[in-house]
């Protein structure tokens, strides 16, 4: 893996991880501002999406590690 490929992968990971993290932050902020009435679904879906993204990244890393 050369430097350009590594940089591309890192930028991709940052972009993919930024979306669920932003959902979590916005959900927490909305929940705090509304007294716990809004933002709960956004917060929970952000956490679920973050877990799925991390599992996907780990899965692709494991597949690349076992490739011939």
């Amino acid at each position: 893996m050369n430097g350009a490929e590594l940089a591309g992968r890192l930028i991709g990971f940052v972009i993919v991880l930024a979306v669920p993290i932003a959902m979590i932050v916005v959900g927490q902020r909305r929940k705090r501002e509304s007294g716990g009435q809004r933002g709960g679904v956004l917060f929970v879906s952000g956490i679920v999406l973050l877990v799925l993204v991390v599992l996907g990244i780990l899965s692709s890393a494991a597949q690349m590690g076992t490739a011939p």
Side-chain angles (χ1 to χ4, degrees), residues 12-26:
F13 288 152
V14 168
I15 291 171
V16 168
L17 287 173
V19 173
I21 290 172
M23 289 173 66
I24 292 169
V25 169
V26 170

Side-chain angles (χ1 to χ4, degrees), residues 27-40:
Q28 282 181 332
R29 186 172 298 155
R30 288 179 69 183
K31 194 168 185 109
R32 191 174 342 119
E33 290 174 356
S34 68
Q37 296 179 359
R38 299 177 67 191

Side-chain angles (χ1 to χ4, degrees), residues 19-61:
V19 173
I21 290 172
M23 289 173 66
I24 292 169
V25 169
V26 170
Q28 282 181 332
R29 186 172 298 155
R30 288 179 69 183
K31 194 168 185 109
R32 191 174 342 119
E33 290 174 356
S34 68
Q37 296 179 359
R38 299 177 67 191
V41 173
L42 187 63
F43 177 73
V44 171
S45 61
I47 290 177
V48 169
L49 185 60
L50 182 64
V51 168
L52 291 175
V53 166
V54 169
L55 288 175
I57 290 171
L58 292 175
S59 170
S60 68

